[in-house]
Amino acid sequence: MQATADVTKKECSWSGWKGQAIDLLYWRNVKQSGAVFSSVLLLLFSLTQFSVVSVGAYLALAALSATISFRIYKSVLQAVQKTDEGHPFKAYLEMEIALSQDQISKYADRILLYSNTCMKELRRLFLVQDLVDSLKFAVLMWLLTYVGALFNGLTLLILAVVSMFTLPVVYEKHQAQIDQYVGLIRTQVNSVVGKIQAKIPGAKRKEE
């Protein structure tokens, strides 16, 4: 019973995080999504101009400047008003931030699951378990060589962040039209793949 309760608790926690991420990407709360989006973009653009060490140091200095200034301000205010409200960050200092054993176990299990799945998929592709899938993967890698020649990693990361915060909203507003075009493209791709499978010996999938 205890094990079942722990599993249920983990699933509820994961569902909660997933729901928050969806709300963030779909701009359910415009202020919150805007703050996260602008902060991440500002960080990434900063990394294009400065090193990771410099950006980290500047962020730490900015945070320390804000907290030290607020701490001094509250101390002076308490001295002038002759009040004893205590440390202004007391609530945050007493907040529990350590990861529990259950949380560490949950994240470790998920990382292990994704790692094993990825390794199995890469083994299947590189050892040509399915010829068509391996050819698709080869074409994808070939296209990525051109992408890598045009963009660096940070530029791709910036484009990925912009896409994450814009494409879901666009899809939600124009879902019918997008699904129609995606269906047409998928039909054409399946048709081409079917013709390739028919012409290449051993490329045809085994029927399940």
Side-chain angles (χ1 to χ4, degrees):
M1 292 294 292
Q2 181 64 33
T4 304
D6 291 341
V7 171
T8 304
K9 185 177 180 180
K10 290 180 180 180
E11 289 179 351
C12 291
S13 177
W14 174 251
S15 299
W17 281 104
K18 186 177 179 181
Q20 291 178 7
I22 291 175
D23 291 342
L24 198 66
L25 296 179
Y26 279 89
W27 296 76
R28 307 299 189 205
N29 186 325
V30 178
K31 291 183 178 179
Q32 185 178 16
S33 296
V36 174
F37 181 51
S38 58
S39 300
V40 173
L41 276 186
L42 179 61
L43 175 61
L44 293 176
F45 279 121
S46 299
L47 290 174
T48 62
Q49 302 297 323
F50 306 100
S51 66
V52 176
V53 176
S54 297
V55 173
Y58 282 127
L59 288 175
L61 283 173
L64 282 170
S65 299
T67 53
I68 291 173
S69 300
F70 186 72
R71 176 76 169 87
I72 294 174
Y73 167 75
K74 293 295 290 186
S75 298
V76 172
L77 191 64
Q78 290 178 27
V80 172
Q81 296 179 348
K82 296 181 180 180
T83 59
D84 187 16
E85 298 178 0
H87 199 288
F89 300 116
K90 182 179 180 181
Y92 297 101
L93 289 171
E94 295 177 350
M95 185 182 298
E96 182 63 40
I97 60 173
L99 290 174
S100 66
Q101 189 64 36
D102 290 340
Q103 290 175 317
I104 295 174
S105 176
K106 178 185 68 174
Y107 295 132
D109 289 344
R110 290 191 177 277
I111 292 173
L112 183 62
L113 175 63
Y114 294 145
S115 299
N116 290 337
T117 302
C118 183
M119 287 189 294
K120 289 179 181 179
E121 185 65 18
L122 289 175
R123 180 185 63 181
R124 188 181 72 84
L125 292 170
F126 280 106
L127 298 183
V128 199
Q129 180 177 345
D130 186 284
L131 181 58
V132 173
D133 286 346
S134 296
L135 288 174
K136 290 179 182 178
F137 185 65
V139 171
L140 176 62
M141 293 299 103
W142 176 68
L143 292 175
L144 286 178
T145 61
Y146 288 94
V147 174
L150 295 173
F151 307 102
N152 59 29
L154 273 175
T155 304
L156 291 175
L157 194 55
I158 291 172
L159 292 175
V161 171
V162 173
S163 299
M164 287 171 59
F165 278 88
T166 55
L167 293 182
V169 178
V170 173
Y171 178 74
E172 188 177 40
K173 291 182 178 179
H174 308 283
Q175 182 175 355
Q177 297 92 322
I178 293 174
D179 286 344
Q180 181 180 0
Y181 289 121
V182 169
L184 292 173
I185 295 172
R186 185 178 299 170
T187 301
Q188 294 296 325
V189 171
N190 290 337
S191 176
V192 173
V193 170
K195 292 178 181 178
I196 294 174
Q197 287 177 328
K199 293 181 178 180
I200 300 178
K204 191 174 183 180
R205 296 179 184 272
K206 295 181 180 180
E207 296 183 0
E208 297 180 357

